[in-house]
Every structure is written in C-alpha cells, then in structure tokens.
Amino acid sequence: MNTNKKMAAQWAAVLLTLWSIAGIAADPAAVTEQRLRHTESEPQNWLTTGHDYGEQRFSALKSITEANVGRLGLAWYYDLDTNRGQEATPVVVDGILYSTSAWSKVQALEASTGKLLWQYDPRVPGEIAIHVCCDLVNRGVAVWQGRVYVATLDGRLVALDARSGQPVWSVDTKEGGHPYVSTGAPLAAAGKIIIGNAGAEYGVRGYVTAYDAASGKRLWRFYTVPGDPSKGFENAALAKAARTWTGQWWLDGGGASVWNDISFDPDLGLLYLGTANAAPWGRKPAAGTAGDSLYAASIVAVHVADGSYAWHYQTTPSDVWDYDSAQTLTLATLNIAGKPRKVVMQAAKNGFFYVLDRASGELLSAKNYVPVNWARGVDLKSGRPEVNPEARYDLTGKVFVGAPGASGGHNWQPMSFSPATGLVYIPAQEMPFPYLLDANFKPVKLGVNMAIDLAATSLPQDPKAKAAALAGLKGYLSAWDPIAQREVWRANYPGPWNGGLLSTAGNLVFQGSAAGGLFAYRASDGTRLWSFAAQTGIIGAPMSYAVGDKQYVTVLAGWGGVFPLVAGELSFKSGRQVNRSRILTFALDGSAKLPPASLPAEQFPPPPSAPVNAAAASQGAIHYARYCGSCHGDAVVSGGLVPDLRFSAALGNDALWQSVVNDGALVSAGMIAFKSALTTAEQSAIRAFLIQRAQQSYAVAHASAR
Ligand code: CA
C-alpha cells in the first residue's frame, strides 16, 4: 500500500468513527430517484438545492412556528475560506450537510454541529475571473447514490465520493475553446447529471449537457441557439430557430446560456431550462436581433431521456435589455378556473410573472409583479409582450431608462412556493437602468460584450442627479398570489439585491437582506417575527432540515454577486457591507455567538496631485467601462468585494501599476494581465481616469469633512 492509499484508508476509518458517533448513516448521500420523487416523505432532509425537483423551497417541518420563532438562536456557524459572494443553498442528506462556496469549493459538515467532515478545492485558476460576469459564485451541489457533484467555475463537472470528498471522475463541459463558466448547481435526474453554463455576456453558444452519473460519459447535449448554418443544424428545433436570427449571429455565439438551476417533472420526463439573453445584447438589429432570436430569453422544456426539444415559451422576443429568463422555474399544481393544472411559474427578469401549463407550454397568465415600462402587457392569445416603441433604444438611438433594468425585477435569488398559503415569495427589486446603444461596439476577447455605452450612462456625480438615481432603487419581499396574479403583502428593505427565500409549514418565510439581516415573517400576512444581525449581506437562500427531533434553519452569509461588483455607489443604497463568508445555522434556544465585528473605518488617502490630462482621462473612462467597471464598479467606486481603485497605491507607482495591470501580478485573486487586450497607452489612459476620479472624490470627501 503506498502512502497516499494508506492515508486514504486511515481517513476513511476516522470518518466511519465520526459517523457512528454522530448517529449518521454509514452509507452517506444514498440519494435515489425514488427519494427525489418523494421528498414529502422525508421532511428532515433537503435533497436538492431547490428542496425538490419542482424547486418549491418549502419545508414541511413545523417545530419552528410563528408562535415560537422568537426563541430562534444561532446553533453553530462555520467560517468559509473565501471572501466573495456566497450563493449556494446547502443540501442535507441523513445528518450531513453538503455545500459549496465561492471559487466552487465544496464542504461536507455534520449538520447538527457544523463540524467539518471534508472539503474539496477544485483549484480554479484565477485567470477565469475575467470571463465571469457576476462574481466567482457557485449555487450548490447535486447529491446522488453516494456521490456529490459540483460544476466548477472553469467549466468542469466533478463527481466526489460522498464519504471522502475525493474526486471519482471529472469532465470538461466546455466546447470550442470558448470561455464557458459554470455557477449553477447540477441536477441529478434519471441516472444523469445535467448541467448548463454561463457566458452570454462573453460570446458563447448556450447548451445543456447530460452525463452518466456513474461514469461521467456524455449522453446528450441540447443547444439553446442555432450554430453555423453551413455546418448543418443538430435538430429540427434548431433549424426552425435559425429562421428567427439574422446576420452572422453564430460568430458571436448567440448567448442563451442556461446558467441557473434546472427543474424536472419526472412523470412527464421533462426538464425545464431558463435561457439567458441573446448575445451580444443591445447590438444593432442587422447583426442578429431583428427576429425573435430563439431560444434566447425563453423557458424551454426538454426530454430528459434524449435531450430532445419538447416546447418553448419566449418571455422576451428580440431581447435587447438583458432579460435573461433564467430565474427559478417553480413547479406546482394550481387550481385555475376550477381545474387543477400542473404549472411551471417564473418571476422573470423582465418584470412579468408567468404561469404556463408545464405539459404543453401553454401560457395561462402573465402579470407584472414590479413596475414595467418596456412593455404594456402580455397578449395572452399570441403570448407576446406588447413592446413600448421607446424601449427599443437600439432602433431610436436614444437613452431608454428601462424598468426593470438589466439586473431584473428578480434575478438569480431563488423564490419559494408554499403549498400551505398558496403564495409565491419573490425577492423583488426595482433597479432602473439607462440603456444607450454603443454605436462603435465591436466584440472584445477579454471583457464584457454588450453593445451598451456604459461610460456615457455612468452614475452622474451631480448630487441632485445622483440622489434621483438612488431614490429609484428598491428591494422588497413580495408575497404573490399566482392564481389571482396580485401581491398579497410586501416587506421592504433599504435597497435591492436581497437574499433568496424559504417558506415552511410553521407559517414562516425566511429571507436574508443585503444590509445584513436575517428575518422571519408570518407567511400568511408578512408580520416580521424575528431577526438576526449577520455582520454581512446575505444573498443566498435559507433552507431547513432536522436531525432527530430538532429543526434547523441554515443560510450561507456573504455579500457579493453582480450588484456590489458593477453598480459602484448605487450598491451602498442596500446597506454598506463587507464580506464575511459563513454558514449560519439556527435552532430554537440556540445560544452560539458570532465573534464581535465592526465596519472598517473609512479612509481616503490623498491621490497623486499632478494634473491629469483630460483627453486621456476621457479615453480612459471608455476603456474602464469596457474592461474594469464590471468588477471594480461604476464610476470607480467599489461595492466592497474588490479593491477600490481610487485608493490604489498603484496610481502613484509606475512599477506597481505595470506589474498588476500589464503583467498580471494579482492573477491568483482574479486580476488577469491585460497586455494582450490593452496597449500601454490605453492602460495609461485608464490610470489617468482613475487618478481623475480619485482627485474628484478626495475633494468631495475633504470638503464635507470641513
Ligand atoms: Ca445576461
């Protein structure tokens, strides 16, 4: 026996001992199709990130109720070793909790104590960060027959032994050398592991792939947009879709990536996929978006057996607003017009709440759940939105302040459906966005591909205009009646980008907030019953499980995601936060305490005082918007996840500037070398713009201090 094998055997023996002491099943993660079909028969477990194949995120546990939730306290916490956004929902199987954290790391913990059993780091290379639009996040694992599956940021699908955390197999899901990344949780269904990817802002062609759960063998791949016609189409559905595109769309990929969770109806044998925008969004119609651009911005049903197309419903034809239709696809049976209907529901990014028959794809109803100005409504007969002509900024050439904006009325944060109240709980938001066509747009290799003039629409520094923009930002929990299509109650937060939802049979709804609170509401009327100060913004969704008779509520805390990366000063509206990444678990009479923490004191070091070349700075603003702003923030104000470049020591240090920006000294943290994308003159122009912004901000801070 070699040393590695010996160590593995010893480790397995230690784990076995741990399991028997903890009363945990000796056969971990023994999840089967049968168990996943009947999650209602084992409410103590939470077997998939969405709780069940229908992604309802409802727990039938009711030890914690509206009457006693005031006694809820911290039972245990586990510090995660990354400081980026935490978007995963843990899975709990027979006393073991499996989760992921940023950079696609996986943890297995004893669910009753938070004690680490094993962890797995896929060692994602830092260079990948430039191809990720919306933070280095991961939304969780799939668990199936003794294995734990994770899709990594760099496009691998890895099967881990649930006992040891050691890889059993690993496949590369990427195609054609494109920068696909994965952030969604894989789905285990019908003996297959199914995974999509992200990258619709980076010129990729979307697809979903099924792998054999046991061997990792690729079984089928469903493309969400047609490819190069000269190579022939993969199937009739794609040949049909190709008639809705113009120009040479395939050169830029087409987009429509399936980056979020996938739902499944085992009786119908159908998978439900939500697809992203057509790519690049906003470009002129002649280049590809004159037609509907199928199957982008759509809900698509696909047969799990062979990956063949079943039906689609496009929420946003000719999407130029980044209205991905990738939000939670919740399956439920609703009583509509006196008849039980098996439906799929989505609170789409475009602001409409859709109810579809999930066997046929028939649109049953659609109503806006947040203010909408891009369309007047949805015509139920044709199923098409009645688009406001002013919204087509790509045709008018004028600014259109869209509601919703590109962040959506609802983004990836999962919603929850309670069969007990019949309500859907939506993490809703209002984030208007000024859309303006970038007439000079050309796709770039490193950076975000959107034909939007981000430099021109940057947050104005005039105090009045800034205040008006901030006033337009809202975030709330909306309790929505999906049959009547109306809001029943609402809970307001300081701003947008709050956490995902959990509802329970204790007549409770749980949600974390961007401002760092975790709250419990009465599910039927929205009365706030309990709160906890989490010391960091929460964007993930809580979940619930039991070990023995004891019910727990768990959430991943850790501020992040696209909002604090991109939105700059606007993100402060939600509550100025730092990232403290933790798994927090609560139980009745829990008495654990977080270590004390406070926000770091604001310091604004003086920037270089030499006058800035105004022409260089204005060129730099354009390059900044294209290459830097999607992480370092609009108008060079960091939302707290990455360094604020106005404070950077590199502004006044030639050697340091070159080593980081040109040569990639900080690549392991995700800051790549830009020498292949930007000339040294362009890099200098960016630096001039940064110094200009630092000087402006310093002057404002200095003036207000006096
Ligand atoms: Ca998108």
Side-chain angles (χ1 to χ4, degrees), residues 209-500:
T209 316
Y211 297 90
D212 180 75
S215 67
K217 181 176 175 248
R218 181 172 144 184
L219 299 175
W220 54 254
R221 178 162 286 176
F222 174 80
Y223 294 92
T224 53
V225 288
D228 181 349
S230 73
K231 294 182 179 160
F233 298 113
E234 287 83 358
N235 54 54
L238 288 173
K240 198 174 153 199
R243 296 201 285 273
T244 68
W245 292 77
T246 51
Q248 295 181 300
W249 74 87
W250 61 91
L251 295 179
D252 300 322
S257 45
V258 178
W259 52 263
N260 207 359
D261 301 345
I262 296 168
S263 307
F264 178 51
D265 182 329
D267 295 328
L268 293 170
L270 292 180
L271 298 166
Y272 301 93
L273 321 174
T275 66
N277 54 281
W281 54 276
R283 70 173 159 187
K284 284 184 173 173
T289 53
D292 287 352
S293 313
L294 289 171
Y295 300 99
S298 298
I299 299 164
V300 186
V302 168
H303 295 281
V304 72
D306 58 2
S308 61
Y309 165 96
W311 57 258
H312 79 277
Y313 174 78
Q314 190 172 42
T315 55
T316 314
S318 309
D319 169 42
V320 291
W321 307 277
D322 192 22
Y323 289 157
D324 307 60
S325 217
Q327 291 59 54
T328 325
L329 290 161
T330 306
L331 312 187
T333 301
L334 299 183
N335 203 321
I336 294 176
K339 273 201 307 194
R341 298 288 295 255
K342 287 186 169 188
V343 303
V344 51
M345 302 181 280
Q346 186 181 63
K349 227 172 149 186
N350 72 10
F352 289 100
F353 190 95
Y354 295 92
V355 182
L356 306 171
D357 180 297
R358 70 173 181 266
S360 66
E362 178 195 350
L363 177 66
L364 300 176
S365 67
K367 182 80 193 293
N368 63 304
Y369 63 96
V370 288
V372 163
N373 71 355
W374 70 277
R376 286 183 293 273
V378 178
D379 178 50
L380 288 185
K381 234 182 192 161
S382 65
R384 297 179 71 88
E386 296 158 16
V387 177
N388 174 2
E390 288 167 25
R392 288 300 298 265
Y393 64 94
D394 56 320
L395 303 178
T396 66
K398 293 180 187 158
V399 175
F400 170 66
V401 181
S407 296
H410 169 211
N411 204 291
W412 66 270
Q413 287 91 334
M415 66 182 192
S416 169
F417 171 72
S418 164
T421 61
L423 300 177
V424 177
Y425 301 93
I426 309 169
Q429 55 190 17
E430 295 177 24
M431 304 168 74
F433 180 83
Y435 296 92
L436 177 65
L437 186 71
D438 178 358
N440 302 315
F441 170 73
K442 282 190 192 74
V444 294
K445 216 174 145 229
L446 291 175
V448 185
N449 277 302
M450 318 181 306
I452 301 295
D453 193 337
L454 292 167
T457 56
S458 180
L459 181 67
Q461 294 304 308
D462 165 62
K464 257 192 187 161
K466 197 185 273 187
L470 283 163
L473 292 182
K474 291 177 186 170
Y476 42 89
L477 160 53
S478 178
W480 189 259
D481 178 342
I483 298 173
Q485 288 274 27
R486 67 178 180 92
E487 188 174 279
V488 174
W489 57 260
R490 172 185 294 200
N492 286 302
Y493 293 105
W497 208 248
N498 301 294

